Each structure stands twice: as structure tokens, then as C-alpha cells.
Amino acid sequence: MTAPTTTLPARRRRRDTRSGLGRSGPWRFVVHGLVWAYVALLAVPLYYLVVSSFKGNLGIITQPFSPIAGFTTENFAKAFTQATLGPALLNQAYITVGASVLTLALALPAAYALARARGRLGVALERLFALGFLVPGFAALVPTVMLAIAMSLFHTREFLILFLPASAMPLSVILLTQAMRSVPKELEESAVLDGAGQWRTLWSVFLPLTLPTTVVVAILNFLSFWNEYFFSLVIIGPDKAVRTAQVALPTLSLANASQYGVLAAGIVITLVPVYVLYAFFADKMEGAVLAGALKG
């Protein structure tokens, strides 16, 4: 009777060793080496960009990876003044925050309704949202411009705040719908018995339980809206008073075509808000991804 209990772990260890996936197998070092090589592949260009933003052309060309060769902070002052990044960053933040808040305000009730919908109508509506992935952004350029002109909002930041959520709704609604479906129905029934309405149930029951996924959706939308360039250029235009940082940044290449340090400094300035946001919510985003992996 003891033979099966002693041979089964041995067979499993041999199978893991043969497959190269054992914890103590030699492939562990190969896998770790590949992971660190991939990390270096991502980190080296970022390090080169940051270091170059503190150097002049001579230091960038002769000692590209040295952090102290030709160290200077004048590049940031030049980039900030020549591209008028101050107003541009404020415009970018205004559009990004406004569009992100509007996206969540629309996606959360829609996801709640789809998660609790029963029958073919709910399935059909969810598939309708999924069809949004099939529409490329540039295909909506002409109708978007015509709509902006018809609404007398062409060359305004407010129209971009209204337009950007439309591009983010499919992914936001689908992610939030899947998260809200994991909420036990008993909690919703308890809230209803306590007299809570639909909005109260969404705010007090579903939103706290799906907060990690909501944070992930907010971060993904923030990154997408912050880095948006094409529609910002077409709809808002190059006016310095209303243009975004992504539209202002290319002007540095015209004024400083041969000053690579100034160009790198301008890029670093626009990356700082995104990095700060991710660092602040990184634990929640990793928790949501881990929770999704465990459920899968």
C-alpha cells in the first residue's frame, strides 16, 4: 500500500526534471538569465535617455553611459522654456484627468448593468462593446472633426475630454464587467434587503470589491490619454495656449535639432507624471493582476 505514495512524488520529480521546469533544474539559471536580459533590454534605453538629459552633445557622444560626463541641468530649463512645457503640461493634465474621470463615470454603471444582466440582451450589449476593438482610431478622424465643428468645439480642450472616453470605453467596460461578475450575489441581495438602491449597491458593495480592477483601468486610461498625440494635434492644434505636452514636445526637434540633451530633457519632463502615478498605484495594479491570475 505504500508503494504508490512513494513512487508518485519520484515520478513527478523526474517528470519536472525532464521537462526542465523543476525548481532545482539547470533550466532555472537559463530562465533567470533570459528574464534579466529582458529587464536589461528595457532598462538600458531608459537609463541612456535619463543620463543624456543631463549632458551636452560632447558627453553624449564620447561617454554615452557615464552619468557624470559633462553633467548639467541647463537642458531642462531650455526644454521647459523653448517648448513652453508649463502651460502644455497643465493642458495635458486637464485633458487627461477630465477624460479619465468621465470614462470611469460612464464605464462603472455600464459594467454594473452588464454584470447583473440576464438573458440575451446583456450578452448582445457586451458583444457590442467588444466590437469597439475592431474600429481603428484614425477611421473616426473625419467624423470626429465634423462633430467638433458642428458642436462649435473645434480647437478646444473640452471636446477632447468628451471624445477620448469613447476610445477607452470597450476595454474599460469589459474589464470592469468581468471583475463585477466575481462579486457574490449574496452581498448584493443583503444590500437590497437593507434597503439599498442600485446606485447605493454599486457605490458601497461593488466599487470597494472591484477597486483593484478599477485602479488598473484608471491607470491604463491615464497612460493612453497622457500619451495621445494624433487627435490632440488635429482637434486642438498647435496654439501654445491650448496645445498639449505631446504636441509641444516635437517643437524641440525644430529648435534644437542638434542638441540631443535638450531633446532628452523634454522627453524626461513629460515622463515624470506618468512614473509618479504608476509608482503611487503600483501595488494595487500588481494586486489586481495577481488576483486575476489566481482566479484564472
Side-chain angles (χ1 to χ4, degrees):
M1 295 297 291
T2 57
T5 59
T6 55
T7 56
L8 182 59
R11 291 176 180 174
R12 182 173 300 171
R13 284 197 298 271
R14 287 196 297 271
R15 185 170 61 251
D16 291 342
T17 303
R18 286 195 299 269
S19 62
L21 297 178
R23 292 183 177 180
S24 59
W27 281 99
R28 182 188 64 174
F29 300 101
V30 177
V31 172
H32 283 200
L34 292 175
V35 171
W36 282 109
Y38 181 70
V39 171
L41 191 65
L42 297 177
V44 168
L46 185 60
Y47 171 78
Y48 178 74
L49 173 67
V50 175
V51 170
S52 299
S53 65
F54 290 97
K55 295 190 294 186
N57 285 350
L58 182 61
I60 294 174
I61 296 174
T62 57
Q63 295 177 300
F65 292 100
S66 174
I68 57 174
F71 184 87
T72 180
T73 57
E74 294 180 358
N75 294 335
F76 290 91
K78 290 181 180 178
F80 204 82
T81 55
Q82 291 180 1
T84 59
L85 285 180
L89 287 171
L90 291 177
N91 292 330
Q92 190 84 54
Y94 172 63
I95 293 171
T96 302
V97 174
S100 299
V101 172
L102 182 59
T103 302
L104 286 180
L106 297 174
L108 283 170
Y112 173 66
L114 289 177
R116 287 297 175 254
R118 297 177 177 84
R120 297 181 179 178
L121 180 60
V123 176
L125 289 176
E126 187 176 0
R127 290 177 179 175
L128 184 63
F129 275 103
L131 289 177
F133 292 112
L134 303 178
V135 181
F138 62 86
L141 176 62
V142 175
T144 302
V145 172
M146 294 176 64
L147 180 62
I149 296 174
M151 296 174 64
S152 301
L153 292 176
F154 193 52
H155 286 172
T156 64
R157 299 165 297 179
E158 286 70 22
F159 183 81
L160 207 59
I161 294 176
L162 297 175
F163 167 73
L164 289 179
S167 62
M169 283 296 287
L171 181 61
S172 302
V173 170
I174 289 177
L175 289 179
L176 290 172
T177 300
Q178 298 303 320
M180 289 186 179
R181 279 178 178 160
S182 65
V183 177
K185 294 183 179 179
E186 290 77 8
L187 295 177
E188 182 184 7
E189 294 172 355
S190 299
V192 173
L193 290 176
D194 291 338
Q198 296 294 331
W199 287 105
R200 185 67 177 176
T201 304
L202 170 61
W203 181 260
S204 301
V205 178
F206 281 81
L207 186 58
L209 293 176
T210 59
L211 186 59
T213 304
T214 305
V215 172
V216 171
V217 170
I219 292 177
L220 292 178
N221 290 336
F222 187 93
L223 296 177
S224 176
F225 297 158
W226 183 268
N227 294 317
E228 207 288 323
Y229 171 75
F230 183 63
F231 283 97
S232 299
L233 177 63
V234 174
I235 293 177
I236 296 181
D239 187 0
K240 293 183 179 180
V242 294
R243 69 182 182 184
T244 63
Q246 304 302 332
V247 176
L249 199 58
T251 60
L252 285 175
S253 62
L254 300 177
N256 304 276
S258 60
Q259 298 184 27
Y260 305 118
V262 178
L263 298 176
I267 297 174
V268 170
I269 290 174
T270 60
L271 291 179
V272 169
V274 177
Y275 175 77
V276 171
L277 179 74
Y278 179 78
F280 190 75
F281 292 106
D283 55 342
K284 293 187 180 298
M285 188 169 185
E286 293 171 359
V289 174
L290 180 60
L294 293 176
K295 290 175 183 177

